[in-house]
Amino acid sequence: MYIEDTLKLAVKLADENWQTGHGDRYGAVLVKNGSIIATGTNEVNWKCDPTAHAEIQAIRTACLAMNVTELIDCELYASDEPCPMCMSAIRWSGIKRVYYARASETSFQDNWSEGAAITSLHLME
């Protein structure tokens, strides 16, 4: 149940980000030892930064807060399957496990539904 709840939080962050107009509908949550250490949302347009994807924003926030460059004991929960840029950052930061709510083939703005957070659960190692 913890995985589903954390994925729902990533989806909620994505929805809120979309509704406020800060960016596209993507959210991410970083967890260490069962505690949330950082969240991120897509801020590409808001910050005029093409690398400001939700996963990268969460990684940046966690690294700065913990004063580290490796997140070895962390798990990332994302509203959507991470893109290749984000997967590279995830690997470089040492995150070992990624959960996401929707696979890339369904990651289109008009196909959004909370049910996707449960039915499309994937584990990447």
Side-chain angles (χ1 to χ4, degrees), residues 59-117:
I59 290 169
R60 287 175 177 157
T61 300
C63 287
L64 285 170
M66 296 169 39
N67 198 32
V68 298
T69 57
E70 294 184 338
L71 300 169
I72 293 170
D73 295 324
C74 296
E75 299 175 332
L76 187 123
Y77 297 78
S79 60
D80 293 81
E81 182 177 2
C83 73
M85 176 184 70
C86 291
M87 281 306 298
S88 295
I90 289 164
R91 293 198 186 280
W92 276 105
S93 67
I95 295 169
K96 300 292 184 205
R97 190 163 285 168
V98 177
Y99 299 92
Y100 54 91
R102 291 186 301 170
S104 60
E105 65 269 8
T106 60
S107 294
F108 297 102
Q109 300 304 331
D110 13 56
N111 291 336
W112 188 259
S113 73
E114 186 177 320

Side-chain angles (χ1 to χ4, degrees), residues 4 10 35-36 39 63 100 103 112:
E4 292 174 7
S35 297
I36 295 172
T39 62
C63 287
Y100 54 91
W112 188 259

